Amino acid sequence: MHMTDRTLELDCGKLTPTFSQRLAAGLSPLTSLFRVFRNRMEINALQDLNDTQLRDIGLTRADLTSAFLASTFFEDPSEHLTRSARNRWRLQFFRSCDE
């Protein structure tokens, strides 16, 4: 009678994603595209505000125009507006500290 050693190798380091994880990964690009489209619509609605209202949120009409020009159709222009508002706030803050 011969006895042979058999080993079973388990690949525990590699987990297969669940259905919900695969679904979320598959829908991620679509969700991102929807978010970009929604943000473009919201920024377009900012055009209806007057200059005083835009200034209250730290933006100008030039910021709105440059956000659309600086981004392609599939890029989110809201990041550009956020950067513009923050930079303007920092400039005003440092100017007020110097006085």
Side-chain angles (χ1 to χ4, degrees):
M1 181 173 0
H2 293 281
M3 194 172 221
T4 58
D5 289 332
R6 293 186 182 199
T7 59
L8 180 63
E9 292 184 24
L10 299 174
D11 191 9
C12 295
K14 187 177 181 182
L15 298 175
T16 58
T18 64
F19 174 74
S20 60
Q21 289 171 333
R22 286 183 284 154
L23 183 64
L27 291 178
S28 179
L30 185 62
T31 305
S32 177
L33 184 63
F34 176 73
R35 183 179 304 114
V36 168
F37 179 72
R38 185 188 64 212
N39 287 345
R40 281 186 166 276
M41 297 297 289
E42 292 295 326
I43 291 171
N44 212 11
L46 289 175
Q47 295 284 356
D48 295 338
L49 298 178
N50 63 32
D51 291 337
T52 305
Q53 293 169 325
L54 286 173
R55 199 172 336 117
D56 284 345
I57 59 175
L59 297 172
T60 63
R61 294 225 178 267
D63 292 335
L64 299 178
T65 303
S66 66
F68 279 115
L69 293 176
S71 62
T72 65
F73 182 75
F74 295 107
E75 292 176 337
D76 193 355
S78 64
E79 295 170 7
H80 178 78
L81 287 181
T82 303
R83 233 177 296 121
S84 295
R86 284 183 183 157
N87 289 341
R88 187 168 288 111
W89 179 84
R90 285 181 185 132
L91 282 173
Q92 290 175 354
F93 177 77
F94 289 123
R95 284 180 187 165
S96 66
C97 288
D98 290 339
E99 293 175 356

